[in-house]
Each structure stands twice: as C-alpha cells, then as structure tokens.
Amino acid sequence: MLTTTDEKEALVLKEAHRLYGLLCHVSKTKSEKWSLQDCIAAAPYTLAINRFKREQNAVVLAHSYTTPDLVYGVADFSGDSFQLAQQAKQSSASVIVFAGVWFMAETAKILNPSKKVLIPAGKAGCSLADSMTGEDVKKLRSQHPGVSALCYINSSAEVKAACDVCVTSGNVFDIAQKMPGKELIFVPDLLMAKNIEDELSRRGTPKKIISSGGSCCVHDKYRPEHVEMLRRQHPGIKVVAHPECDSDVCALCDYVGSTGGMMKYVSSSTDTCFGMLTEFGLVNRLEAQYPDKEFVWPFGVCSYMKKNSLINTLQALVEPRPDQVVEVTQSVADAAQKSIHKMFELTK
Ligand code: 13P
Ligand code: SF4
C-alpha cells in the first residue's frame, strides 16, 4: 500500500508525464526542448493550481504568448486577444485568472464586471498600450472632427473609452473597411495603421488612416532581410507575420494575420515548413499541435507576456497582491465597453 508521500510522488509523476506528452516537441529555448525533468519541476505547481481552480470556481485564460507550462498545464482556454475577450465575456466562473498583459485582463473585467479578475503578472505593460493615453486620443480627435476612431485592443481602457470601435488583429481590416467615410483614425499602432491603408487599397476600398502612438517592441524588429534570409535558407518555406510588423515586411510574406489567423493558416496548409515572424509562444503552440511540421523562428520574445509564471499564477489564486487584482473606474469601463461591444457587433 502507498504511503501519503508515495501517493503524492505518484501523482506528481503522472502529471509530469501528462505534461511531457504535450510538450516533448516544444522548444523551451532556441536550442532546447522541454524535458521530462522540466515537467517534473512544473507538475507540483500545475496540480496545486488546478486544485485551487476547482475550489474557487476559477478559470485560467492564457494568451498564446505565455509559456507552454501555463498554456498546457493550467489554462482552460488559450488563444489570441479576440478569442480571449470572447471567452472572458461569456465566462460563468467566479474568478477569471488572465495570464496575459494588463490591457487584456482589463478588457476581461470590462466585459464581465461582476467577476473577480486576476492577472498573475501584475501590471504587465505592452509597448503599444503604453504609448498613448485617453487624453492623447481626445486631442487627436479634436484635430480631425467628424472622423471615426478605431482603437486596437492593445490599448488602455481610457483609450478604448475615447474611441468609437475597438478592433483586434483578427478583425481590423474587415472593420476598417466597414466604417463609413474616406478617413479613419486608428491608434495606437503606427505600423498596423500603414498595413490597414495597404490592405484597404488592395481591396479597392482605399481610406486615409490617421494614426498616432507607437509600435510593438517585438514585431517592429523584423526587417525584409529576415524574410529573404528565411527563403534563402529554407527553399519552399511559407513565411507568416503579424500585422504589427512593418508593411515592408508584410508585403514579402505569404500570410499576414492575427495569432489565431496564423494558427488557422498552418492548420489548413499542406506545406511543412513555416517561417514565423512573431512571438515565440505561438511557435510553441504550433510545435505542440503539429509535430510533423517545421517552424523556423528567427527571434522575438515578449518580456511582458513572459512575466506570467506557474509560481505567480498559484500565488495570485492563493493570496493576490493588489496589483494582481484588476479594477476599472466605472465611467471609463462603461465607455470602453461600448467600443468593445461595437467590435463584437461588427465581427458577426
Ligand atoms: P493577437 O490579437 O494576435 O493575440 O495579438 C496580440 C498581441 O499582443 C500581438 O502582439
Ligand atoms: Fe504588446 Fe508586442 Fe507584447 Fe503583444 S507582443 S503584448 S503588442 S509588446
């Protein structure tokens, strides 16, 4: 008969094997895969988190850029920012643990205000969301009266509250096309703004895009030379990129789309080698899902997303610090909710 300690060890080992079954093809670093030893180290945490989740009626929503131990060990759902916003909106759990960055957790709270929303990473920023304030948007809009304003979901609640419609990388082109007028304000991604202009011209519905803000500090690092290098080193490769990349890079790629869009592109393709101009976490998800395909990733890690870990997820569930509890001022939340709901309406 097993002693209590033996039982615990057997449970940990069983959980480690479950994780290893999912992660054995997944890169931990550029040169290393997840090992059984890594999974043995993660298992006590995933077991404890899953137990606390059951006890507290909590769900874990994890962005695909968080680490595979979170995505495969404890997440009830992982996906891109649009899919996660949908999940948060419809969640019936008492607690939503959002492994992502602050603007994503804030969006979850805005969409489902009666829930307790926790973010393990605390006030994890985003170079886009942090590039502009609500006051900046108001000033920009006053310079262009009558022009509709779209905001990328990678923005603060105040910025969303000051705009007409929120968009994500998955629906930005379609929503921009549906908006009335020949001009549009789009904040806070200057590179995506140029991609919108290019895509609307390609579709035969050109619009002038007025923008302000910054860029994603991960995706703005890719250059046309990286696409050329991938093609030279891997003949026949399909190169995919996120629309936060420079338009000169996007113009050279086989597919440009959201995190979810890139996953769909790979799943529906018969090609076997893909160049990934995006964050490492998405590469990890694809490696786990398509072990027979090859994913070549030059570089690109979001340090904000990687602030989420098993340790701070457990700690947030047990005893959240004030900076891990998401609150949004009522008046801002109400106005921001309108622009997010408008997005859902226009995405139907
Ligand atoms: P997705 O909408 O594709 O999840 O993008 C979010 C993001 O932060 C990309 O850098
Ligand atoms: Fe923000 Fe870029 Fe990180 Fe996405 S990858 S959260 S846009 S800094």
Side-chain angles (χ1 to χ4, degrees):
M1 191 169 150
L2 290 173
T3 66
T4 309
T5 313
D6 288 339
E7 278 171 5
K8 275 189 194 152
E9 279 177 10
L11 255 183
V12 168
L13 212 57
K14 190 171 164 216
E15 173 70 349
H17 280 281
R18 174 184 81 85
L19 291 175
Y20 189 57
L22 295 162
L23 301 182
C24 58
H25 300 290
V26 175
S27 302
K28 193 176 173 205
T29 64
K30 214 163 159 62
S31 57
E32 241 189 323
K33 300 272 180 205
W34 278 76
S35 66
L36 180 59
Q37 220 40 51
D38 294 324
C39 295
I40 290 173
Y45 292 99
T46 60
L47 283 172
I49 291 167
N50 288 324
R51 180 166 56 82
F52 274 104
K53 268 169 53 184
R54 283 191 296 276
E55 286 172 12
Q56 298 187 15
N57 186 26
V59 281
V60 174
L61 305 182
H63 191 272
S64 292
Y65 293 176
T66 58
T67 51
D69 48 358
L70 286 167
V71 170
Y72 294 101
V74 297
D76 297 279
F77 182 84
S78 355
D80 66 15
S81 48
F82 183 76
Q83 297 160 336
L84 290 166
Q86 278 179 317
Q87 289 292 323
K89 184 169 176 261
Q90 70 198 37
S91 177
S92 57
S94 313
V95 182
I96 298 173
V97 181
F98 205 115
V101 288
W102 184 261
F103 76 81
M104 294 181 176
E106 200 174 51
T107 303
K109 181 70 182 175
I110 291 166
L111 288 170
N112 209 339
S114 66
K115 309 297 176 189
K116 182 174 180 183
V117 177
L118 303 172
I119 172 166
K123 291 234 155 73
C126 159
S127 63
L128 278 173
D130 299 341
S131 68
M132 220 173 168
T133 65
E135 285 308 309
D136 296 333
V137 178
K138 286 180 196 159
K139 208 189 260 169
L140 182 66
R141 294 199 74 171
S142 71
Q143 291 159 6
H144 303 276
V147 178
S148 303
L150 305 188
C151 62
Y152 191 28
I153 197 166
N154 294 43
S155 57
S156 65
E158 285 80 5
V159 166
K160 290 183 179 79
C163 288
D164 301 308
V165 189
C166 175
V167 298
T168 71
S169 52
N171 53 31
V172 55
F173 300 134
D174 291 341
I175 291 181
Q177 191 176 9
K178 281 180 192 166
M179 297 301 287
K182 291 275 171 224
E183 286 186 337
L184 274 183
I185 290 171
F186 174 77
V187 292
D189 189 338
L190 295 165
L191 300 185
M192 195 177 282
K194 178 69 173 70
N195 284 320
I196 300 171
E197 219 165 56
D198 290 355
E199 178 61 19
L200 293 191
S201 294
R202 264 194 296 277
R203 292 182 181 194
T205 51
K207 285 189 211 292
K208 182 180 172 200
I209 307 294
I210 300 153
S211 189
S212 185
S215 60
C216 162
C217 59
V218 177
H219 292 96
D220 69 3
K221 302 290 181 298
Y222 300 119
R223 295 281 166 263
E225 303 82 89
H226 297 123
V227 185
E228 286 152 15
M229 180 196 73
L230 287 167
R231 295 208 191 279
R232 208 172 41 248
Q233 293 178 352
H234 303 270
I237 195 170
K238 296 291 178 203
V239 184
V240 303
H242 196 280
E244 289 168 7
C245 295
D246 194 290
S247 58
D248 290 347
V249 171
C250 294
L252 297 175
C253 290
D254 297 288
Y255 177 80
V256 178
S258 66
T259 301
M262 285 188 254
M263 289 188 82
K264 272 199 204 124
Y265 176 80
V266 169
S267 83
S268 59
S269 169
T270 50
D271 290 289
T272 53
C273 182
F274 299 87
M276 305 300 302
L277 298 186
T278 191
E279 214 276 342
F280 192 40
L282 178 58
V283 180
N284 298 153
R285 290 216 57 197
L286 292 168
E287 287 172 329
Q289 234 163 296
Y290 306 101
D292 298 334
K293 299 195 185 223
E294 186 188 356
F295 300 97
V296 188
W297 167 76
F299 57 84
V301 172
C302 177
S303 56
Y304 305 109
M305 288 280 187
K306 304 305 189 208
K307 282 187 182 164
N308 296 280
S309 67
L310 288 175
I311 295 177
N312 56 26
T313 299
L314 180 58
Q315 172 265 315
L317 272 168
V318 177
E319 202 173 12
R321 299 188 309 263
D323 69 306
Q324 291 172 317
V325 183
V326 182
E327 295 295 350
V328 186
T329 312
Q330 193 61 52
S331 56
V332 174
D334 290 344
Q337 199 187 61
K338 277 194 196 141
S339 79
I340 308 170
H341 280 163
K342 190 84 190 152
M343 167 180 79
F344 288 126
E345 209 181 293
L346 291 172
T347 309
K348 269 180 206 154

